Amino acid sequence: MCSNLDDALAVAPRAGLAWESQAIPLSFDKEHESVDTPASSAREDSPPIKTLLILGASGDLTARLLLPGLASLVSDGGAQEINLVGAGYDDWSQDKWHDQLRESFGDDAKDSPVLKGIAENSEYHRVDVTSKEELTKVLQGVEQPAAVYFALPPSITEKACNLLEPGDVPEDTRFVMEKPFGAGQVSARKLNASLEKLLPENHIYRVDHFRGTGAVLNILGLRFANHLMEPVWNNRHIEKVEIYFDENLTLEGRAGFYDTTGAMRDMMQSHMLQIMALLAMDEPATLEERDVRDRIGELIRAAEVGPDYQQTTKRARYTAGKIGDREVPNYVDEPGVDPKNNTETLAQLEVHINNARWAGVPFILRSGKSLAKNQMEAIVTFKPLPHLPTGFTGTDTPTRIRIGLGPAKLRFELDVNGPGDIYSLDRANLNADLNETTLLPYGEVLQAVLTDNAMFFVRGDTAVECWRIIEPVVKAWSENKVPLEEYPAGSNGPEDWETSREEDPL
């Protein structure tokens, strides 16, 4: 982690840089609503979190992501004095809970006496969170202040929050909410209203683990700490921006969630629009929560998908195929899938931002499962030169910047004089490894929660605006106004989709 603002923003000096070209090896050393956004309370006045209370502790999210994330954080030196309390609907014994902790913590517990102590002292309570009495009892029964992680389906989280009254929630409690936040604009507004009665906005952490500390600071550092970037980061110089989150993972046993959610609600409404906002927002005055989230909110309010959804949106679903050595069945044959849902496993949107900086620049957002390779990156393509001096030969290829979001890498793709014929243009790449945390994604989430850093989470008004952007698309898709295409598992998607997807992602 960075020790100060200068370290946080100094992206390029961290990394060794190297030119590489296919032709010659070169190397060098180094419905819009009016929103009142509440001011943040002073962070230094907030008492430290004593307890992490996980609601839904017997579920898959806790076992696969939250507990391993906590283990990585403790092993990295964080959360040294946290009390861990699990609460779930399943009637687990303390022994079963401790078995789950040992399995999820894995080898980290063997190497960390602190983590081992957290596991040994942890308690599990059977709680029905839809019972006001049971929920209030567990909230008030743990050592305060507490961070309450709702590792629950969105509908259950919403029901639980609607049960509570201000007096039921101890002072300085934090609520951590998994995405999707609500099921649309209306439900998101209602959930915001319920939460506002219980907690200040900066004590409500709407999780977007794709917007972890490393990814955020890498993007902000690249954009705002380099004089080379800011003057050309606009529609006068940039032709398009593409953001990819392609995965070679399949359903992985999550049909119960995914088949009623799909790629659009799962990824676009949260992760993809948030990364787009970080890439496109105006410079914040500081890296404090209010300033950064104000800029993100402004950008999201200016964004929309063009109304001709057959041109600006695409959706597809994987069929039987092979990923590496793994045989993948047709999506509709996966256990727990209802073919009538017409769930998309690959989604693509063309988003436009209606402001002076970005008017006319398409932002292409794409995310899907069961694809050939993982590609998690943003590609910024600059406009072609208006004129190239006569005499140069070869291909005049647009300059591109590729920002890896996992792993964290940076590549400048430039034209230079080629070997042999010095008048011939050739492609060269300038590569850098960006700052990358040792924490797992949910370790980053928990670190931000336990250090009271709301900057890395989604603000309530922005969550509603994200639904405004995608809800009309969801409606059009549900009415089959956009065809549901198909692609074989292990492919790059439908063949006629024009993208810059790389055969060799960063």
Side-chain angles (χ1 to χ4, degrees), residues 7 25 39 52 67 85 91 95 116 156 168 207 244 274 278 291 314 318 375 401 418 421 431 444 446 488 492:
D7 289 337
L52 173 62
L67 294 179
V85 178
D91 190 13
D95 287 342
K116 184 177 181 181
I156 302 300
D168 300 329
V207 170
Y244 293 89
Q274 291 297 314
L278 290 166
D291 291 329
K314 297 177 184 293
Y318 68 81
Q375 182 181 12
I401 297 176
D421 181 0
N431 292 316
E444 288 193 278
L446 293 173
N492 292 330

Side-chain angles (χ1 to χ4, degrees), residues 348-368:
Q348 184 171 305
L349 299 181
E350 181 178 309
V351 182
H352 288 264
I353 300 169
N354 300 314
N355 63 19
R357 181 191 287 264
W358 294 112
V361 178
F363 283 73
I364 311 300
L365 280 52
R366 163 176 154 143
S367 178

Side-chain angles (χ1 to χ4, degrees), residues 58 88-94 96 124-127:
S58 56
Y89 188 77
D90 293 295
D91 190 13
W92 280 12
S93 66
Q94 299 303 318
K96 185 172 178 58
Y124 178 87
H125 301 274
R126 187 190 181 283
V127 174

Side-chain angles (χ1 to χ4, degrees), residues 2 34 45 83 87 114 137 210 224 268 371 374 426 430 458:
C2 302
S34 176
D45 294 338
N83 297 311
V114 175
K137 182 179 179 181
F210 202 31
F224 300 121
M268 296 296 177
L371 294 159
N374 291 329
D426 189 39
L430 178 63
V458 180

